[in-house]
Amino acid sequence: QMHLEESGGGSVQAGGSLTLSCAASKNIGSGYCLAWFRQVPGEEREGVATLESVGNPRYAVSVKDRFTISRDFTRNTLILQMNSLQPGDSARYTCASRIDRGGGCWLIDHQYTDWGQGTQVTVSS
């Protein structure tokens, strides 16, 4: 089982940037699908970005060209760089992982087996 712990959330004004980190308990260099999801209370969880063990990032349409998902191999950390933040990006952001068995890594939450506790992002107008 992978233990995941997020950090980096906070409050920012519209147009600002934040960087979220997700520290993993295992080597995330290969063999895992990694992803960021977000959720607003009362709404369904939304996939934000995902990364295969060989790279190939995928993004939700709503964040494409503004957010970047990456890995820091030396620290076993998943990173989400968020630029041009909008109030609609306010949510609790959670990282997730699952074993990459091939076929691509997609933003389908029930496929992910390990989840962090999340970190809150609030964007004010």
Side-chain angles (χ1 to χ4, degrees), residues 5-12 17-23 28 35-39 48-49 63 66-72 75-83 85 89-96 117-123:
E5 185 169 351
E6 303 91 341
S7 62
S11 297
V12 64
S17 299
L18 280 174
T19 302
L20 304 184
S21 297
C22 174
I28 60 170
W36 287 97
F37 290 83
R38 65 187 183 185
Q39 189 169 24
V48 175
V63 306
R66 297 189 298 122
F67 290 11
T68 302
I69 188 171
S70 63
R71 280 173 297 189
D72 182 336
R75 297 188 297 140
N76 285 329
T77 299
L78 180 68
I79 297 167
L80 185 68
Q81 175 65 43
M82 305 185 294
N83 298 326
L85 283 161
D89 295 316
S90 296
R92 189 164 188 84
Y93 285 71
T94 305
C95 60
Q117 295 298 309
T119 186
Q120 181 66 35
V121 172
T122 302
V123 184

Side-chain angles (χ1 to χ4, degrees), residues 14-124:
S17 299
L18 280 174
T19 302
L20 304 184
S21 297
C22 174
S25 61
K26 296 182 179 181
N27 186 341
I28 60 170
S30 64
Y32 288 95
C33 290
L34 305 167
W36 287 97
F37 290 83
R38 65 187 183 185
Q39 189 169 24
V40 175
E43 297 184 11
E44 289 191 0
R45 184 158 50 197
E46 176 190 18
V48 175
T50 185
L51 193 62
E52 296 180 8
S53 55
V54 294
N56 194 22
R58 294 185 174 91
Y59 299 93
V61 172
S62 60
V63 306
K64 190 173 173 58
D65 298 328
R66 297 189 298 122
F67 290 11
T68 302
I69 188 171
S70 63
R71 280 173 297 189
D72 182 336
F73 295 98
T74 63
R75 297 188 297 140
N76 285 329
T77 299
L78 180 68
I79 297 167
L80 185 68
Q81 175 65 43
M82 305 185 294
N83 298 326
S84 301
L85 283 161
Q86 304 165 3
D89 295 316
S90 296
R92 189 164 188 84
Y93 285 71
T94 305
C95 60
S97 70
R98 67 171 179 87
I99 294 175
D100 185 352
R101 304 186 188 281
C105 299
W106 305 95
L107 292 171
I108 302 172
D109 58 359
H110 66 78
Q111 292 184 343
Y112 289 81
T113 56
D114 301 299
W115 294 81
Q117 295 298 309
T119 186
Q120 181 66 35
V121 172
T122 302
V123 184
S124 58

